Amino acid sequence: MSHLSEYDPEIAGAIENEINRQRNGLEMIASENFVSRAVLEAMGTPLTNKYSEGYPGKRYYGGNQWIDVVENFARERLKQLFGAQHANVQSHSGSTANMEAYFTLANLGDTIMAMNLAHGGHLTHGSSVNFSGKFYRFIPYGVRQDTHRIDMDAVRALAKAEKPKVILAGYTAYPREIDFKAFKEIADEVGAAFMVDMAHIAGLIAAKVHPSPIPYADIVTTTTHKTLRGPRGAAILCKAQWAEKLDKAVMPGMQGGPLEHVIAAKAVAFKEALEPSFVDYAKNIVFNAKALATSLIDEGITLVSGGTDNHLILLDLTNTGVTGKQAEVALDSVGIYTNKNMIPYDPRKPFDPSGLRIGTPALTTRGFDKDDMREIGVLIAQVVKNYGNETVYEGVRRKVKELTEAHPLYPGLTVL
Ligand SMILES: *Cc1c(COP(=O)(O)O)cnc(C)c1O
């Protein structure tokens, strides 16, 4: 019996149940993934005990010689992975990373241009209930109503009219490739800094399955736990000219002590992402997403922008008679995990929007292939089209069991 299950059966029990939920369900939330055993091990270490405010070689506390080794490996591997000039691996989350990037590039109250939240932007890209919308003047750009793709001519016209300090690209629900070069040209035309938030697509960029923003952007933020398949957290890359200001914006500007057990796990994940097998993984994410999109289209489901170039798919449920929230809850009940999502020009409200977002990073890690994806597309369509029909749901539950048993998650792992 583990120390945890002996001392705290309530928490140990909930952890055990959560592991079983992950094992027995289809994890299709586009922002989630399953880390390796090596990453898990690195996180659960006594590195959590150490205070190491500052940076390698310049700490506010003693006893950091081994912590410095860990953080230096994390920084160097991340720079190598993306070909970047400078890396900071201390950001606790994607949201704080974005705050730190804004602190570096702009002054409070400055104008920042970013994607409309209903068109795929993130909460930290200017939502009025988020620090971003309170600290800065955000001007949203969006996608075209007919193509659901970013209209670069409209972005240019808006940039010329608003003269932003920063132009931000990188999204949370945009299924298409992003033209970073075109954004950079517009930023240069209006004298703006160019920032990219690659949280969702970092793994695809690392594997060169999506074009890289590194040659163009002043600062690139990323989470480490999405397609990059590392621990929950974030990192920031930048051009050498911003390095000092950025490091100061992270600490002391925004954060205190870094989470070095998580930084150790980030280092392990970056090593994994440098392996040739990670390129195959990232390619398979996209193959799988395309197979799933085709399957859904064959089932008569409408997709925002008509398909996908990356790891995620946005279903437009408008003509199904089921809302995004209803679909999410129904799919939850059969063990298919997704999230409701706004679609561009959504007539409904954020808490019960018309869309559903799904993605393939997590299931691809489990070894699901394109045939599995075709089957999952049919299952999702069955649940949506037979909303409330328990007999159909029961059949889907059986199929989910077969699929998850064919691709076991963490085989042989006993955490507790
Ligand atoms: C997930 C995400 C974030 C925020 O990450 P957290 O770690 O949840 O704070 C920021 N930006 C984008 C584009 C994201 O997709």
Side-chain angles (χ1 to χ4, degrees), residues 190-201:
V190 301
F194 179 39
M195 172 181 161
V196 170
D197 175 352
M198 64 173 181
H200 259 263
I201 53 174

Side-chain angles (χ1 to χ4, degrees), residues 116-128:
N116 186 329
L117 268 49
H119 295 197
H122 186 257
L123 185 70
T124 55
H125 298 180
S127 162
S128 63

Side-chain angles (χ1 to χ4, degrees), residues 93-96 98 122 124-125 170-172 197 199-200 223 225-226 233:
S93 72
S95 297
T96 51
N98 283 344
H122 186 257
T124 55
H125 298 180
Y171 318 108
T172 197
D197 175 352
H200 259 263
T223 53
H225 50 273
K226 298 179 183 174

Side-chain angles (χ1 to χ4, degrees), residues 16 19 23 37 40 409-415:
E16 197 78 64
I19 295 168
R23 281 181 164 142
R37 300 273 303 260
L40 275 183
L409 176 65
Y410 298 128
L413 174 73
T414 37
V415 181

Side-chain angles (χ1 to χ4, degrees), residues 149 175-176 289 293-294 297 303-310 312-314:
R149 291 173 193 246
R176 295 300 180 177
T294 305
I297 291 167
L303 304 185
V304 169
S305 85
T308 181
D309 298 329
N310 57 25
L312 74 83
I313 296 164
L314 203 51

